[in-house]
């Protein structure tokens, strides 16, 4: 079953060279037109070549978000990309909605949508043996993509991945 994604998980994984993890975990990923625009795949930016390739290969596919009343309602608190991603997921019932932003995740969960983000994708990849170090991937996100992660969350994820000991401060 495909996933629906907002901009952040795809862009950040593309920047650190781990975009294929999304394809490996979900097969097909659907994005809205607003998300495509936010990805800026036609500009010479970090990750854009990988995103263009995913579109060309067809596992990353653009689908029109049709529920304009829901999109308008969501845009009272969220940006257009998040609003369209949530509206698309509400219509398609995907395996996961890929979303990193706190407010968007809160709204999506309140609608009963299954949500994960870039950290969840990386944790699953570590558990499945697709990456060798969650710590290295999180460090790459911070260093190369400017992705901010609370130290407490990093510790919690490293514990979950078996890369930290619970007795260390």
């Amino acid at each position: 079953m495909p996933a629906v994604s907002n901009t952040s998980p795809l862009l950040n994984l593309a920047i650190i060279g781990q975009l294929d993890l999304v394809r490996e975990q979900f097969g097909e990923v659907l994005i809205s037109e607003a998300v495509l625009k936010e990805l800026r795949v036609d500009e010479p930016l970090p990750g854009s070549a990988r995103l263009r390739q995913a579109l060309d290969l067809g596992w990353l596919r653009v689908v029109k978000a049709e529920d304009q009343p829901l999109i308008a309602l969501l845009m009272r608190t969220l940006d257009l990309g998040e609003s369209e991603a949530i509206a698309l997921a509400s219509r398609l019932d995907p395996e996961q909605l890929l979303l990193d932003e706190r407010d968007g995740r809160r709204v999506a969960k309140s609608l009963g949508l299954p949500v994960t983000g870039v950290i969840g994708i990386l944790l699953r990849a570590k558990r499945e043996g697709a990456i060798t170090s969650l710590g290295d991937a999180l460090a790459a996100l911070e260093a190369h993509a400017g992705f901010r992660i609370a130290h407490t969350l990093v510790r919690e994820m490293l514990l979950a991945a078996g890369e930290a000991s619970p007795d260390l401060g």
Side-chain angles (χ1 to χ4, degrees), residues 4-7 30-38 62-76 78-92 94 97-99 104 107-108 111 113:
V4 170
S5 188
N6 188 34
T7 308
L30 308 175
I31 60 172
S32 72
E33 293 163 337
V35 170
L36 177 64
K37 186 175 181 178
E38 290 176 359
V62 181
V63 177
K64 183 169 179 54
E66 297 173 347
D67 191 340
Q68 292 306 313
L70 178 57
I71 293 167
L73 179 65
L74 293 170
M75 285 188 61
R76 291 181 179 178
L78 306 175
D79 72 22
L80 181 59
E82 292 167 329
S83 298
E84 283 192 3
I86 291 170
L88 194 58
S90 295
R91 177 170 61 94
L92 299 176
L97 172 59
L98 312 181
L99 191 62
V107 170
L111 294 172
L113 296 169

Side-chain angles (χ1 to χ4, degrees), residues 1-7 9-15 17-32 35-36 39 41 47-63 88 96 98 121:
M1 180 178 295
V4 170
S5 188
N6 188 34
T7 308
L10 297 175
L11 182 59
N12 287 307
L13 289 169
I15 289 171
Q18 297 291 348
L19 185 61
D20 279 344
L21 294 175
V22 179
R23 180 189 46 77
E24 291 167 10
Q25 291 179 20
F26 304 107
E28 182 179 40
V29 180
L30 308 175
I31 60 172
S32 72
V35 170
L36 177 64
L39 288 172
V41 297
S48 60
R50 290 182 182 101
L51 291 162
R52 273 193 310 277
Q53 182 182 37
L55 286 162
D56 291 344
L57 291 172
W59 67 263
L60 182 60
R61 193 164 56 90
V62 181
V63 177
L88 194 58
Q96 288 286 322
L98 312 181
I121 292 165

Side-chain angles (χ1 to χ4, degrees), residues 118-134:
V118 67
I119 296 172
I121 292 165
L122 290 170
L123 178 59
R124 180 174 168 182
K126 167 63 178 176
R127 288 177 172 162
E128 293 175 351
I131 61 173
T132 56
S133 171
L134 178 63

